[in-house]
Amino acid sequence: MTDDPSPATTVTTGLRSRLPSWRSVLAVVAHPDDESFGLGAVLTSFATSGASVTVLCFTHGEASTVHGVIGDLRTVRARELDTAARLLGASEVRLLDYPDGQLEGVDLQVLAAHVVEVAEQVDADGVVAFDLAGVTGHRDHVRATAAAVAGANRLGLAALGWTLPSEVAERLAVEHAAEFVGHEAAAIDLVLTVDRTRQLEAIAQHCSQAVPSSVLWRRLELLGDREHLRWVSG
């Protein structure tokens, strides 16, 4: 991290600062740790407001090049996901077994069918995922969100996409050569003030991935106590 945090200063005038009053929320992600590194503070905000939160993850994250602990990543990351998601307030975790790094090659309607199935089972009122561009540009993130949106559309549900302010994405690109994709204030629909306590506790459970050199820490520093969301469906 650098000495100058320069946190995001997105103007919130005219934007909603409260989450929708969904009773049941389905979070759709590509990899274990996406629910914590990306959606963590948002999912905690839903849970603390009384919503039931379910996490649907498409892969075991076995293809990661980060390996902060000893052990088979497929097994390690599954365990990390379950512990972390429950710390965030999730009541249920559904972990599928699609190949990490290859979601783009899986038929979108097949992936969307999983979203529909779980959403119906938990009587979801809405869906949360990464933004349409996947935030980090990772193709698995893009595909997972496309499946979330397709599933939400089938059920007539609204879907929120977690995103970054463009100034934060640009700062990360300069400092870390990271391919983050953000949005200008006019394209952001909700700006939330969040408490990151439980998110940080959940992140700590992902020992295999939350290494000191991760760009995650700088992103959280730049965001401060704000998270940003866009309506991506509904």
Side-chain angles (χ1 to χ4, degrees), residues 155-185:
L155 296 172
L157 298 177
L160 280 169
W162 168 71
T163 190
L164 299 178
S166 58
E167 61 265 33
V168 171
E170 291 163 6
R171 188 69 175 267
L172 293 172
V174 170
E175 294 180 0
H176 296 272
E179 297 181 6
F180 284 94
V181 181
H183 290 280
E184 298 294 335

Side-chain angles (χ1 to χ4, degrees), residues 178-200:
E179 297 181 6
F180 284 94
V181 181
H183 290 280
E184 298 294 335
I188 293 173
D189 299 307
L190 285 78
V191 179
L192 309 175
T193 300
V194 297
D195 180 346
R196 297 199 185 276
T197 303
R198 287 168 67 178
Q199 180 184 24
L200 292 172

Side-chain angles (χ1 to χ4, degrees), residues 102-164:
Q102 299 179 47
L103 279 184
E104 191 176 44
V106 181
D107 186 279
L108 181 62
Q109 298 311 314
V110 171
L111 296 177
H114 292 293
V115 176
V116 170
E117 178 183 19
V118 178
E120 288 181 329
Q121 289 175 354
V122 302
D123 195 20
D125 296 305
V127 176
V128 182
F130 280 32
D131 193 29
L132 296 173
V135 182
T136 66
H138 194 303
R139 291 182 177 181
D140 278 1
H141 293 170
V142 174
R143 196 62 163 178
T145 295
V149 170
N153 286 339
R154 284 194 203 176
L155 296 172
L157 298 177
L160 280 169
W162 168 71
T163 190
L164 299 178

